Amino acid sequence: MTTGAATPRPIRQPVLDAVSLTKHFGGVTALDDVSLWALAGEVTALVGENGAGKSTLIKCLSGVYQPDAGEIRVDDKPMSFASPLDARLAGIETVYQELGLVEYFDVAMNIFLGREICRPWWQGSMLDRRAMRRRAREVLAGFGITNVNPSTEVRQLSGGQRQGVSIARAMAWGARTIIMDEPTAALGVRESERVMDVIRRLRDSNLCVLIVSHNIPQILAVADRIWVLRAGRLVAHRLASETNHADIVGHITGMTLPR
Ligand SMILES: Nc1ncnc2c1ncn2[C@@H]1O[C@H](COP(=O)(O)OP(=O)(O)OP(=O)(O)O)[C@@H](O)[C@H]1O
Ligand SMILES: [Mg+2]
């Protein structure tokens, strides 16, 4: 049985390191001395019951919350994220449970939100919609997302297509780490499979992918490494190739069977 503290460091330098993170909300300890890491070229999964602290951990890693104690390291350099922008500048992009797309903007505008491409000033500095659509098409195709038209308004897309747009938006700017909280929670079987394919592509392009999910079979199918949180504490670390459903569920619930 290996937990964060007892887990030997990998030979490769992790891209992302959480070191002894602690976070309280009033009297609730959402994270209690949690240490874990994630490597480039791997899908790392974070699992646990409702309220185990998964979203809190992800929000610390993406600059939404500041931990009360502990440290976040990127490529072994200590970081201090005062805001999500700081995390983004450090190469960490996050796709949230609530996706944050603008329903009445088209796909291309959503991908470029906050970083729009404009025409040069001598042409009036207006938004260059054609350039954004062309670039959006390239970015989507790069992740195998060919069923989304950049000029479609987001409100007309299916759940899986929206997920694809959020991932493309997160990745359009050369991030090295992508964090996804419940990427397939609201999706049907086929759409979930598409998102899983995109996750595999991200991994195959040597990105560091960190996902939170309650779907253990899906995690076992897509992840390389699994960390289990229970009541704010890290209780297990497993390679997906060396575990199974019962083992992971046992750690999630605290009802572990002897191995
Ligand atoms: N902003 C907040 N204010 C107060 N308490 C919070 C806040 N965010 C989380 N908590 C508490 O911290 C604990 C961990 O919550 P968190 O959202 O991280 O769990 P989770 O593992 O993501 O659960 P779920 O699987 O339901 O998404 C819970 O007890 C929750 O009630
Ligand atoms: Mg959550």
Side-chain angles (χ1 to χ4, degrees), residues 15-228:
V15 178
L16 192 58
D17 249 311
V19 186
S20 298
L21 293 187
T22 295
K23 178 75 183 169
H24 302 283
F25 294 106
V28 175
T29 303
L31 295 176
D32 185 2
D33 195 22
V34 171
S35 296
L36 55 76
W37 36 262
L39 300 177
E42 284 196 357
V43 176
T44 300
L46 186 57
V47 299
E49 291 274 31
N50 294 121
K54 306 178 297 295
S55 294
T56 303
L57 178 61
I58 275 178
K59 286 178 176 169
C60 289
L61 295 173
S62 53
V64 175
Y65 295 153
Q66 284 69 51
D68 298 324
E71 188 174 70
I72 295 163
R73 303 176 80 88
V74 172
D75 290 326
D76 210 24
K77 291 191 200 69
M79 295 282 155
S80 166
F81 300 147
S83 72
L85 181 61
D86 286 348
R88 187 170 278 166
L89 291 172
I92 300 170
E93 288 280 356
T94 308
V95 176
Y96 291 103
Q97 264 168 322
E98 51 295 337
L99 297 176
L101 298 175
V102 182
E103 296 284 308
Y104 284 87
F105 282 1
D106 68 20
V107 167
M109 274 299 283
N110 269 279
I111 289 179
F112 287 97
L113 212 58
R115 303 173 269 204
E116 293 84 355
I117 301 176
C118 288
R119 292 172 194 273
W121 60 267
W122 62 88
Q123 290 180 18
S125 300
M126 287 172 31
L127 292 178
D128 190 343
R129 289 184 188 277
R130 200 188 294 173
M132 285 195 281
R133 285 177 185 166
R134 194 169 51 235
R135 180 81 189 108
R137 198 179 302 278
E138 287 167 10
V139 169
L140 288 164
F143 296 110
I145 303 164
T146 51
N147 64 338
V148 176
N149 183 338
S151 50
T152 305
E153 284 185 10
V154 159
R155 68 193 168 95
Q156 293 169 7
L157 299 181
S158 72
Q161 289 173 325
R162 285 159 189 255
Q163 193 73 47
V165 173
S166 335
I167 293 170
R169 180 177 63 180
M171 295 317 302
W173 303 91
R176 297 193 41 232
T177 297
I178 180 158
I179 301 178
M180 287 180 253
D181 198 348
E182 299 283 358
T184 60
L187 306 183
V189 177
R190 279 195 32 211
E191 296 223 300
S192 296
E193 267 313 310
R194 268 182 192 275
V195 170
M196 288 292 130
D197 282 345
V198 172
I199 289 172
R200 290 188 185 97
R201 273 175 195 257
L202 296 169
R203 177 210 9 229
D204 295 346
S205 0
N206 206 35
L207 288 159
C208 170
V209 187
L210 179 59
I211 60 175
V212 167
S213 178
H214 286 280
N215 186 331
I216 308 303
Q218 204 173 60
I219 286 294
L220 288 168
V222 78
D224 299 285
R225 189 177 297 285
I226 303 171
W227 300 92
V228 185

